[in-house]
């Protein structure tokens, strides 16, 4: 029987890119295979990255093709001088599925893979580097690490996990990884650190340290300061290389998502719904956060892809990277067809400022100018906070009323989350600020009702 490479050349007139043919050849050499359609989708993926100027910036890329461990260990792209396969430990064919992806699944005490990739060997520094992976479902296990360093004692860790992502120590305004199942890319350039979720971008911070890079990168294992733990879950793609611009991060995220649809790793959603907010939008105190946070529940009910732009400690007002009045443009760039905004909890930590109202006008006007219909935007008043003196009720009501006024002025929908949660104090956690799991459920129901009214 002809090899897949020859059959593909005959099937589509020899139009596959050399990079695709080279990968397929190495895949077949270990007994793996892709269908003609799967190879054509991969070829389109590589072509789109080349057109966007991304392919040359990837030192290593792992697409986990095939349905055996030997096949999924074959790297899509590998750095010069490094091996062309991952090295796995304690993993078997049960950890590899064409549609399910690569990884140990729901439990893990000793399974991991090493890349052999040493950033310094390719002149990568803390101002010219990116690392990324795509979750196929809920990240978790151990400390939730997915793409991390092998043992090192200096204060540096590259981490994509359930509770934190980015350089360690934590950059300011970082977002909780468990807020979305999908592609996460951290790009560290001379202008600071950016996080991409699929093709939505958030700026995180400028550099506060000059870290030492690790000896190499591992998948599903963290070994930091002599403490080792293992991650659970599945991934559909991962890569390492040079710093990417925001535009390049978006192109990479869009290409990864398209490939995962084509390979049956995800079902195409009914559009995208974006959520702009703070730690409440991230899902703090919801359990399990991946499915129980209000944003995930609303997206699921709408059969839409969740684009979660919740940022811990985020305000609506201000000029820093966490301010909603700055970050609303991320929703436009993410091509969402519906948007939900819930901000004000952190703003209410200070006396009411009329700028809150005018900044809301800026956000709503900007979203509408960016192509969203006013009727597809839901403005939420912030949840009630237990009055401990730091957020007196009169102040909370002033911020909630301003959100309602802004929604009415712009012709947007309004969900009165403040009234909902104030009427049922048990919806608020003992920390006095974040909703409980049942609170997230009630908030999701209210937003869904408003969206579909």
């Amino acid at each position: 029987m002809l090899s897949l490479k020859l059959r593909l050349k005959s099937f589509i007139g020899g139009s596959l890119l050399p990079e695709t043919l080279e990968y397929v050849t190495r895949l077949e050499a270990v007994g793996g295979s892709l269908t003609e359609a799967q190879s054509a989708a991969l070829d389109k993926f590589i072509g789109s990255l080349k057109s966007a100027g991304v392919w040359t910036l990837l030192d290593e890329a792992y697409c986990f093709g095939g349905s055996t461990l030997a096949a999924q260990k074959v790297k899509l792209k590998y750095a010069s001088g490094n091996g062309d396969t991952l090295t796995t430990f304690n993993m078997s064919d049960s950890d590899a599925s064409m549609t399910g992806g690569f990884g140990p699944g729901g439990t893990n005490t000793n399974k991991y893979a090493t890349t052999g990739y040493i950033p310094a060997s390719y002149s990568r520094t803390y101002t010219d580097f990116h690392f990324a992976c795509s979750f196929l479902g809920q990240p978790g296990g151990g400390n939730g690490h997915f793409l991390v360093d092998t043992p090192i004692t200096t204060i540096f860790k590259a981490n994509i996990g359930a509770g934190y992502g980015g350089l360690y120590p934590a950059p300011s305004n970082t977002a909780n990884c468990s807020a979305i199942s999908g592609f996460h890319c951290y790009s560290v350039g001379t202008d600071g650190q950016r996080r991409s979720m699929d093709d939505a971008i958030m700026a995180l911070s400028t550099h506060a340290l000059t870290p030492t890079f690790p000896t190499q990168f591992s998948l599903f294992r963290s070994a930091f300061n002599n403490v080792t733990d293992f991650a659970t879950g599945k991934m559909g793609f991962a890569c390492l290389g040079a710093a990417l611009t925001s535009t390049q991060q978006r192109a990479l995220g869009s290409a990864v998502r398209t490939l995962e649809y084509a390979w049956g790793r995800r079902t195409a959603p009914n559009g995208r719904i974006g959520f702009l907010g703070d730690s409440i939008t991230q899902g703090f105190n919801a359990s399990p956060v991946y499915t129980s946070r209000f944003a995930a529940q609303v997206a699921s009910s709408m059969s839409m892809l969740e684009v979660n732009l919740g940022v811990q400690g985020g305000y609506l007002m201000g000029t820093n990277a966490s301010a909603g009045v700055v970050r609303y443009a991320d929703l436009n760039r993410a091509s969402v067809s519906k948007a939900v905004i819930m901000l004000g909890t952190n703003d209410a930590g200070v006396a009411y400022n009329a700028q809150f109202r005018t900044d809301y006008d800026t956000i709503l006007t900007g979203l509408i100018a960016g192509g969203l219909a006013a009727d597809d935007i839901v403005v939420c008043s912030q949840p009630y906070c237990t009055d401990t003196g730091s957020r007196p009720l009169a102040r909370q009501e002033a911020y909630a009323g301003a959100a309602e006024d802004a929604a009415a002025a712009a012709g947007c929908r309004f969900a009165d989350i403040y009234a909902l949660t104030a009427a049922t104090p048990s919806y608020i956690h003992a920390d006095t600020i974040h909703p409980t799991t049942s609170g997230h459920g009630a908030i999701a129901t209210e937003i869904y009702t408003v969206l579909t009214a």
Side-chain angles (χ1 to χ4, degrees):
M1 179 180 291
L2 291 174
S3 70
L4 177 61
K5 180 173 70 172
L6 293 178
R7 285 186 283 117
L8 283 168
K9 291 183 74 172
S10 173
F11 176 68
I12 57 177
S15 61
L16 286 182
L17 295 167
E19 293 86 353
T20 309
L21 291 171
E22 191 269 344
Y23 169 75
V24 169
T25 299
R26 290 187 290 112
L27 192 73
E28 286 190 325
V30 298
S33 65
L34 297 179
T35 66
E36 293 169 345
Q38 288 166 346
S39 294
L42 180 62
D43 195 68
K44 182 178 179 182
F45 169 78
I46 294 172
S48 67
L49 295 188
K50 294 178 77 171
S51 296
V54 174
W55 182 256
T56 58
L57 300 177
L58 305 182
D59 293 334
E60 298 233 356
Y62 324 116
C63 63
F64 313 113
S67 297
T68 64
L69 181 62
Q72 292 206 350
K73 287 164 59 175
V74 175
K75 298 175 181 179
L76 175 62
K77 187 177 183 182
Y78 56 99
S80 175
N82 197 19
D84 67 350
T85 62
L86 296 166
T87 300
T88 57
F89 298 83
N90 305 309
M91 299 181 76
S92 65
D93 283 347
S94 64
D95 301 307
S97 166
M98 184 63 193
T99 55
F102 174 83
T107 60
N108 185 22
T109 59
N110 63 359
K111 297 181 179 182
Y112 67 101
T114 56
T115 65
Y117 175 80
I118 302 172
S121 297
Y122 305 96
S123 301
R124 300 297 170 224
T125 69
Y126 79 101
T127 58
D128 180 26
F129 187 59
H130 86 265
F131 54 103
C133 77
S134 180
F135 299 125
L136 296 174
Q138 181 178 9
N143 287 333
H145 308 298
F146 266 75
L147 186 62
V148 298
D149 60 284
T150 52
I152 188 167
T153 56
T154 55
I155 52 172
F156 174 85
K157 175 160 53 175
N159 180 33
I160 302 179
Y164 166 70
L167 287 180
Y168 182 88
S172 62
N173 307 325
T174 189
N176 188 328
C177 286
S178 58
I180 188 170
S181 164
F183 180 68
H184 296 251
C185 177
Y186 290 84
S187 193
V188 192
T190 56
D191 57 344
Q193 184 171 185
R194 290 181 293 275
R195 177 195 182 200
S196 166
M197 303 172 297
D198 294 315
D199 57 0
I201 309 297
M202 284 195 289
L204 296 182
S205 73
T206 55
H207 305 295
L209 68 160
T210 55
T212 302
F213 265 52
T215 52
Q216 71 162 315
F217 277 79
S218 298
L219 310 180
F220 301 106
R221 179 183 73 159
S222 171
F224 181 66
N225 282 347
N226 300 314
V227 176
T228 300
D229 58 317
F230 299 93
T232 60
K234 297 283 188 178
M235 62 172 67
F237 181 82
C239 59
L240 299 149
L244 304 175
T245 66
S246 294
T247 299
Q248 290 167 337
Q249 280 184 291
R250 288 190 194 95
L252 178 58
S254 179
V256 169
R257 179 67 72 174
T258 300
L259 179 65
E260 290 177 338
Y261 292 154
W263 278 12
R265 289 176 170 171
R266 298 186 191 276
T267 301
N270 183 29
R272 298 175 172 215
I273 180 168
F275 297 85
L276 182 65
D278 49 34
S279 59
I280 295 170
T281 297
Q282 287 182 344
F284 274 39
N285 290 331
S287 181
V289 64
Y290 169 65
T291 53
S292 295
R293 64 188 178 275
F294 80 83
Q297 293 188 59
V298 173
S300 177
S301 296
M302 300 291 291
S303 298
M304 300 181 78
L305 174 69
E306 174 194 0
V307 177
N308 193 306
L309 298 180
V311 169
Q312 182 178 355
Y315 292 73
L316 183 142
M317 299 182 289
T319 58
N320 61 21
S322 68
V325 71
V326 176
R327 294 192 298 112
Y328 82 85
D330 293 333
L331 288 173
N332 286 337
R333 287 189 285 266
S335 301
V336 299
S337 55
K338 294 184 184 296
V340 178
I341 305 168
M342 186 187 295
L343 286 160
T345 295
N346 293 309
D347 298 88
V350 298
Y352 179 74
N353 187 329
Q355 182 187 344
F356 184 83
R357 176 66 170 76
T358 56
D359 280 356
Y360 238 128
D361 291 340
T362 298
I363 289 177
L364 299 180
T365 300
L367 290 175
I368 293 167
L372 273 174
D375 197 49
D376 288 325
I377 301 171
V378 177
V379 176
C380 303
S381 52
Q382 82 282 357
Y384 160 81
C385 295
T386 305
D387 183 3
T388 59
S390 62
R391 290 176 175 82
L393 296 185
R395 185 189 299 170
Q396 293 186 54
E397 290 166 1
Y399 280 100
E404 182 174 11
D405 291 346
C412 299
R413 297 173 186 251
F414 177 70
D416 196 348
I417 304 304
Y418 177 77
L420 171 74
T421 50
T424 309
S426 62
Y427 286 159
I428 303 303
H429 189 268
D431 66 12
T432 74
I433 293 176
H434 299 95
T436 59
T437 298
S438 61
H440 276 277
I443 290 169
T445 299
E446 180 66 18
I447 293 172
Y448 177 78
T449 299
V450 169
L451 269 170
T452 56

